[in-house]
Amino acid sequence: MSAGVATTSKGQAWFCTTGLPSDVVVDVNNMTFHLHKFPLMAKSKKLQDLITEQEASFTPSVAADGTDVEKEEKNEEIQVENEFRHVSFKDFPGGPETFEMAAKFCYAVKIELSSSNVASLRCAGEVLEMTEEFCEDNLVSKTEMFLTQKVFHSLKDSVETLKSCEHLMPLAESVGIVERCINSISTKVSAMDSSLFGWPVNDEIMVNGAPDSHGTWLEDLTFVGPNLFKRLIAAMKGQNLNQEVVENCLLCYAKKHIAGINRTSRKPMPSSKQSKPSEIEQKELLETIVTNLPEQNTSRSSTTVKLLFGMLRTSNILNTSDDIKSTLEKKIGYQFEHASLDDLLMPSYSYLSETLYDVDCVQRILTHFLNRVEDTPQALFLVGKLIDGYLSEIALDANLKPDKFIELAVALPEQSRVYDDGLYRSVDVYIKAHPWITEADREKVSGVLDCQKLTLEACTHAAQNERLPLRAVVQVLFFEQLQLRQAIAGTLMAADMGPSDSERSPGTRQEVTEHDETVVQRNDVTWRVAVRENQVLRLGMDSMRTRVHELERECTTMKKAIQKIDKVGSHGWRDSITKKFRCTFKTQVCDSHEPTVVETRKGRTHRASRHSSS
């Protein structure tokens, strides 16, 4: 403060002491300011008019003959002269804090302008009529100069000032601050490098809030009110702004303001002073954000997909229009390979659906994904694994019908699965969780499997799985035997041809990796197949060794039995041997290399029953 001027605050009262008693009281909301009329009247035309009007009411009364009425007592004259002028402002822009700064300006006290208070001071100057026409270097001109030379030259300052206009409407709109801030932001963002707005940068901002980061303005933008934010997005789109920037602005704002959009973030919003928006306001905001999203996705990331799924869940809860839900499903389908299993597990909110999860929604998203023109094998593999995991989760739902399970299982093309082990697990879980379904439905469910694409572990489990239909087990055994023969034949051919190039040159694989990624992927697949064939071959050899030992024991038993036969004709002892050993020997020759599988099927075939009884 300037020399001779001091301020004190006592509760809800504010005093300016200059050595002279206060003669003006100004009420602003719940704060009372004790001031002096001359500094105020020198800067503010509004205060001058109000004070002058009150002083006119203190003019001595005039008698009928035109002469002044004499004061009977001197004290009465002093009381009139010292009468306080009382002024009151309701809903003053910026409240008592802003009026205090305006009052200090009237007393020629230096005030610090900033991007957060300049809008409220500009509005205060408008209310108090502190214009250049009334007094030079007044508050209006000072704030306008600061806006033009400082705020509108900085993107971050423009966002900060726009944010402060939320509680200054409609006055901030009438003096042109809002429109100029929006134009400044949209123009500067359109001139910036779009690579600064990618999700890795934004996530870093959200966590650390580094003040010198290029994208801190984006975090500040999330504190702008919904109405101003809508106007800002419209201005950005009018500038033909990079669609990625527009999309990231919308998604960041949704993450900040739409409750429940992020499952991992359960903390309340930092702006606790603001009232919690109603469901109607939340619905309107969500629909506005989704409507303004670019038609084509501009970026693909797990963060983006997670937010889109969160918005889709919220749209189901708030019961938004079908167009809003369809838009979100299409955008998710465009980058479905970046989703996680947790994203897919959306509860079903429809009264028409009996399932626990919204299976129809996932199926629609999968359809949008498959309709993509630029699908890659890698994306198909990721989505195939994702759907198999989802099938395993929903298979536990007792209300999931077999047809719905089958429809989703076969929706993916064949090349999306290298192996069917994940799909086999889903089938096994479904059949186990639905023991009441008919044999025909069990065969349909297991029919989604391609037994030729099961690994050794899956084949071993399926061959001993009593829950599977007998036809499925027979198919597993058939293809297992076929693979065993192919593996043996391939091993013999490899032995005749000698060592492969890869065995002769261990460094070849690394060299190919550096020069041709496609060849490396092909070698990786060949290597995995070879490992699998070796495992199958080892299992087959172990099985053959076991059978040889069993045949040797049978021959030894036959020899002992022959020696015990005495005085029996040639036909008699041969018939006796045939009767005693033919069935056992034949079973050993014809059985699969997995005898435990046949034993587990004793109750299913009559032949197995006769065999067990023998």
Side-chain angles (χ1 to χ4, degrees), residues 14 37 58 94 110 112 186 193 232 258 290 301 337 346 396 417 478 490 502 537 597:
W14 191 90
K37 67 177 182 178
F58 299 147
K110 184 179 180 180
E112 292 292 336
S186 59
D193 185 1
L232 178 59
I258 299 179
V290 176
S301 68
E337 67 272 18
M346 296 181 295
L396 295 169
R417 296 183 177 98
F478 172 77
S502 60
L537 179 61
V597 177

Side-chain angles (χ1 to χ4, degrees), residues 518-579:
T518 304
V519 176
V520 170
Q521 293 177 353
R522 189 181 301 114
N523 289 341
D524 289 340
V525 174
T526 305
W527 178 78
R528 288 195 295 268
V529 173
V531 170
R532 183 186 174 200
E533 289 176 351
N534 289 336
Q535 292 174 339
V536 174
L537 179 61
R538 188 181 299 109
L539 178 63
M541 294 177 65
D542 293 340
S543 178
M544 292 173 62
R545 188 181 298 108
T546 302
R547 293 173 187 172
V548 170
H549 290 326
E550 291 178 354
L551 289 173
E552 290 177 351
R553 288 196 297 270
E554 292 288 349
C555 291
T556 302
T557 304
M558 290 174 62
K559 290 179 180 179
K560 292 180 180 180
I562 293 172
Q563 293 174 358
K564 292 181 180 180
I565 298 175
D566 187 27
K567 296 180 180 181
V568 179
S570 60
H571 294 286
W573 70 264
R574 183 173 297 175
D575 293 339
S576 177
I577 294 300
T578 300
K579 180 178 180 181

Side-chain angles (χ1 to χ4, degrees), residues 230-268:
K230 294 176 188 178
R231 294 179 55 182
L232 178 59
I233 291 298
M236 287 183 174
K237 297 177 73 173
Q239 290 276 356
N240 294 323
L241 194 62
N242 185 291
Q243 296 299 298
E244 183 176 359
V245 179
V246 176
E247 182 176 90
N248 286 342
C249 287
L250 290 165
L251 293 179
C252 279
Y253 198 85
K255 182 179 179 180
K256 187 77 172 181
H257 290 273
I258 299 179
I261 195 173
N262 193 352
R263 288 178 174 177
T264 60
S265 179
R266 302 291 184 178
K267 296 181 180 180

Side-chain angles (χ1 to χ4, degrees), residues 375-391:
D375 283 340
T376 61
Q378 183 65 22
L380 280 173
F381 294 154
L382 292 173
V383 173
K385 183 178 179 180
L386 181 65
I387 292 298
D388 287 347
Y390 181 70
L391 286 170

Side-chain angles (χ1 to χ4, degrees), residues 99-148:
F99 182 83
E100 178 182 344
M101 295 184 69
K104 290 180 179 179
F105 183 84
C106 294
Y107 281 89
V109 177
K110 184 179 180 180
I111 59 175
E112 292 292 336
L113 294 177
S114 66
S115 57
S116 58
N117 66 22
V118 65
S120 60
L121 283 171
R122 172 64 181 87
C123 293
E126 192 72 16
V127 171
L128 296 175
E129 301 180 26
M130 299 173 69
T131 62
E132 200 72 11
E133 292 77 11
F134 185 75
C135 178
E136 293 183 356
D137 296 330
N138 216 337
L139 184 60
V140 171
S141 60
K142 290 288 187 183
T143 53
E144 281 291 340
M145 185 180 300
F146 186 83
L147 287 169
T148 304

